[in-house]
Amino acid sequence: PAPPLTNLPLVRGCFMGIDPSLTSTGIALIENGQMHTGLLSPPCKGPERLSWFYDEFTTLIGRYGPTVVAVEGYAFGAKAQ
């Protein structure tokens, strides 16, 4: 079995996790052992939403400067098993 998480050393830095979707995208930031989560929901439709997401991610990456970014894979209309 895996060791308890309390035995792991605290890793310094900022880590960003992204769960992408065109309708709402989940974001998680872990910085100095603290996790913050949020949801990005574009106020527009069509191609404009991609530009909106670009601007939002550019702002977040500029503000927090993550050392690691992980992006969850995608599935189009697939049902979770």
Side-chain angles (χ1 to χ4, degrees):
L5 291 178
T6 55
N7 293 340
L8 297 177
L10 179 62
V11 177
R12 299 285 180 211
C14 181
F15 305 90
M16 178 184 282
I18 302 170
D19 182 6
S21 170
L22 287 176
T23 55
S24 62
T25 291
I27 298 288
L29 286 167
I30 301 173
E31 189 170 32
N32 298 323
Q34 298 287 323
M35 183 165 73
H36 308 278
T37 60
L39 192 63
L40 298 176
S41 298
C44 48
K45 294 187 183 272
E48 294 82 20
R49 75 173 73 172
L50 293 177
S51 178
W52 184 88
F53 275 118
Y54 175 84
D55 292 342
E56 291 296 311
F57 283 118
T58 299
T59 299
L60 287 171
I61 290 170
R63 181 179 302 151
Y64 296 103
T67 53
V68 175
V69 176
V71 181
E72 185 176 331
Y74 59 88
F76 293 102
K79 292 184 179 179
Q81 300 273 334

